[in-house]
Amino acid sequence: MTRLALFLAVWAAPLWAQSPAEDAEAAALRLGAARIALEAADGRSDRVAALTETVQAYEDGLTALRDGLRRAAIRQRTLETDLEARAEEVAQLLGVLQTMGRAPAPILLLHPSGPTGTARSGMMLADVTPALQDKVTALRAQLDELAVLQGLQTDALVILEDGLNGAQVARAALSKAIADRTDLPRRFEDDPVQTALLLASSETLAAFASGLADTGSGGPDANSVKGLVPLPVEGQVLRDFDTPDAAGIVRPGLVIATRPRALVTAPVPATVRYAGPLLDYGNVIILEPAADVLWVLAGLAEVFGKVGQIVPQGAPVGLMGGQVTDPQGILTESAQGSAGQRTETLYLEVREMQSAVNPAEWFVVD
């Protein structure tokens, strides 16, 4: 293979069709929009709904930014490795171009073998020069892209700090707004004494849920959307219905892996039947989306809502726990190729007629 053919082969790999840097910059714009929404939420009458949307906007923006930074870091490493591996070829290519730039055009066409050779070299040069220019253009594009990616890493720290702080403020404002709200309809008033007696007499989640099922009737009816309900939190199903965990313990529900401080919402209108700590499940909220149907959401750090309230679709019912990674940690994580860890788990159990059923009968489970 000639040296020129080697140059052509070495630089033939196309650039990515979609830029990771553009994705990260788009995510940064989304975080900016979330900041504006947070400022505007104070003046809205539906403040809880506005703040819910704001928290979700921050979560979506931060997730997209993490993914964009991860892809950008991978792309940057690819470019740097590629350029480093081709350092000698790049130097030779630049040398050829430099020589061509200094030499007068007539001299470039002369050939020792005479007119025939000169004619051949002229035709070859006419064919080669555009190819060389294409490779120079590709090299310039790679170097420009590398500069953009390096600049993105520098700007990302400030963007992440602003986004994480905004998300924290939005969550705190949402918690207060929910605590202050008085506009939700109530099916019934909570009876603390009865709830306390039921808690004291229940040794299992099943027993407690069965006790709840014996009280109250009416309310929302989500049977029309059975099988089409989205999960109450953005995440990934870690363990399916009746699947044993590492210790061999089988639970009749789903374990959903999600990110720290993720917002948990009611996928459909439902009555709050219980909210608070329960046995060894941590903080639990139990929703009744239809008669004789209970959804148990366990493992939250905070629960929102009062017993007897009917919460609308999309209403926040809790926040997951855990520590949100600091901005520098996210950059380090992205540089290592990780898009962020789903370190928190939400347990979701569905009970019909006092028996546990597969949540997949109600929820869309990928």
Side-chain angles (χ1 to χ4, degrees):
M1 179 181 291
T2 66
R3 191 174 302 278
L4 179 59
L6 178 61
F7 287 147
L8 299 181
V10 164
W11 296 104
L15 297 176
W16 282 15
Q18 185 175 354
S19 168
E22 291 176 350
D23 288 346
E25 289 169 355
L29 291 176
R30 291 167 67 179
L31 288 173
R35 183 176 63 251
I36 295 172
L38 178 59
E39 294 169 354
D42 284 336
R44 288 180 56 171
S45 57
D46 56 341
R47 194 160 185 267
V48 170
L51 287 169
T52 301
E53 293 172 1
T54 301
V55 171
Q56 292 171 331
Y58 270 115
E59 289 182 351
D60 292 344
L62 286 167
T63 298
L65 184 58
R66 282 175 182 261
D67 185 62
L69 290 173
R70 177 184 61 84
R71 291 183 56 229
I74 294 172
R75 178 60 176 161
Q76 181 176 338
R77 284 199 304 273
T78 300
L79 286 173
E80 289 173 341
T81 302
D82 188 50
L83 291 172
E84 184 179 350
R86 300 175 180 180
E88 182 179 350
E89 286 84 356
V90 171
Q92 292 172 346
L93 175 58
L94 294 177
V96 170
L97 294 173
Q98 199 171 35
T99 300
M100 291 176 63
R102 286 198 305 262
I107 295 178
L108 289 174
L109 297 177
L110 294 177
H111 194 276
S113 64
T116 303
T118 299
R120 285 193 187 134
S121 65
M123 288 187 290
M124 290 177 60
L125 187 60
D127 291 336
V128 164
T129 302
L132 285 175
Q133 185 59 49
D134 289 343
K135 301 311 161 186
V136 171
T137 301
L139 174 59
R140 183 181 294 113
Q142 285 186 311
L143 294 174
D144 289 345
E145 184 183 0
L146 185 58
V148 170
L149 292 172
Q150 290 170 339
L152 177 65
Q153 299 293 326
T154 303
D155 297 337
L157 188 61
V158 175
I159 298 171
L160 284 168
E161 285 177 347
D162 183 68
L164 291 172
N165 290 336
Q168 184 175 355
V169 171
R171 291 187 187 104
L174 177 62
S175 297
K176 186 177 186 307
I178 291 173
D180 295 341
R181 80 183 306 175
T182 57
D183 59 329
L184 289 183
R186 298 188 73 141
R187 263 181 57 199
F188 54 83
E189 292 296 323
D190 183 24
D191 186 340
V193 174
Q194 184 180 14
T195 301
L197 290 173
L198 182 58
L199 280 169
S201 62
S202 300
E203 297 183 356
T204 65
L205 174 59
F208 182 78
S210 295
L212 283 183
D214 290 335
T215 62
S217 60
D221 185 358
N223 280 294
S224 62
V225 293
K226 187 174 183 179
L228 303 174
V229 181
L231 292 174
V233 70
E234 188 283 322
Q236 181 178 5
V237 174
L238 196 63
R239 194 158 56 251
D240 290 316
F241 175 73
D242 273 353
T243 301
D245 61 16
I249 298 175
V250 177
R251 293 189 190 275
L254 302 179
V255 176
I256 305 168
T258 187
R259 290 190 171 87
R261 307 301 291 162
L263 187 65
V264 182
T265 60
V268 298
T271 304
V272 178
R273 298 304 309 272
Y274 177 77
L278 176 61
L279 303 174
D280 61 344
Y281 287 86
N283 280 324
V284 172
I285 189 162
I286 299 179
L287 303 176
E288 185 179 32
D292 298 319
V293 179
L294 295 177
W295 293 347
V296 181
L297 308 177
L300 300 101
E302 301 177 43
V303 289
F304 302 142
K306 298 175 182 177
V307 173
Q309 284 182 335
I310 299 177
V311 294
Q313 179 178 342
V317 295
L319 279 172
M320 300 303 298
Q323 296 295 320
V324 178
T325 310
D326 61 272
Q328 190 58 57
I330 292 176
L331 288 179
T332 302
E333 176 184 89
S334 299
Q336 294 171 347
S338 171
Q341 299 300 316
R342 293 187 172 105
T343 55
E344 301 302 305
T345 54
L346 177 73
Y347 177 69
L348 170 61
E349 184 170 312
V350 176
R351 305 190 68 84
E352 291 186 12
M353 303 295 293
Q354 301 188 14
S355 298
V357 299
N358 191 338
E361 296 182 14
W362 278 89
F363 292 89
V364 177
V365 179
D366 294 331

